[in-house]
Amino acid sequence: MEWINTYFKMEEADYKALDNPQEYILDKGGRIVVALYKSEPVGVCALIKMEDPHYDYELAKMAVSPKAQGKSIGFLLGQTLIKKARELGVRNIYLESNTILKPAINLYYKLGFQKVVGHSTPYERCNIQMELKLNE
C-alpha cells in the first residue's frame, strides 16, 4: 500500500489482493515471494493465476522499499517468480504498470517482458501492458 499510495491511489483490485492474499492469490494457485535484506522484509512480488484465454498468470504487486532500491532486489524477485512459473509449466505471464515508473519498466524489459496492447484492465493507473512468453 505504501508504494501504491506514493505514486497513485489504492483501487478496488488492489484491496482485493492486499487484504486477502490467501484467498485471492495463494488459494488459486498463485505465489508470493518476499525479499529479505539483513533479515528485514524489503520487497514483495506476486504471481497471480488469471482466468484469461491469453495469459496464465500475472506478475503483480512488485514493490521494493526505497531504502533497499538499487540492490537488484526487484530483478531477483522477478527472476524467482519467472523460474517458479516455468516449473509450473506456465506458457505466458502478463503484467500491468505505468510508464512514469521508468525503473520498473526497464526492469520488466530486462526480465524479458515485451509491450502488448488491447487487454482490459481494472486499474485506472495502467497505461502499459506487457507479456513474457515461456515454455514455447
Side-chain angles (χ1 to χ4, degrees), residues 57-118:
Y57 282 83
E58 177 184 8
L59 188 75
K61 306 301 179 217
M62 181 184 282
V64 176
S65 171
K67 64 184 170 188
Q69 290 175 355
K71 299 181 184 330
S72 297
I73 291 170
F75 184 72
L76 294 171
L77 286 166
Q79 279 189 316
T80 299
L81 284 175
I82 290 167
K83 180 182 177 197
K84 177 50 76 177
R86 280 193 169 102
E87 291 170 3
L88 293 170
V90 171
R91 294 173 294 132
N92 47 55
I93 303 172
Y94 173 80
L95 70 78
E96 299 177 325
S97 191
N98 188 293
T99 53
I100 68 165
L101 305 171
K102 290 182 186 353
I105 301 304
N106 290 334
L107 168 66
Y108 301 139
Y109 280 119
K110 186 176 175 181
L111 287 167
F113 283 84
Q114 297 298 314
K115 183 178 176 181
V116 294
V117 294

Side-chain angles (χ1 to χ4, degrees), residues 30-46:
R31 303 289 190 274
I32 300 171
V33 293
V34 177
L36 301 177
Y37 182 71
K38 297 183 179 180
S39 301
E40 181 183 346
V42 294
V44 66
C45 190

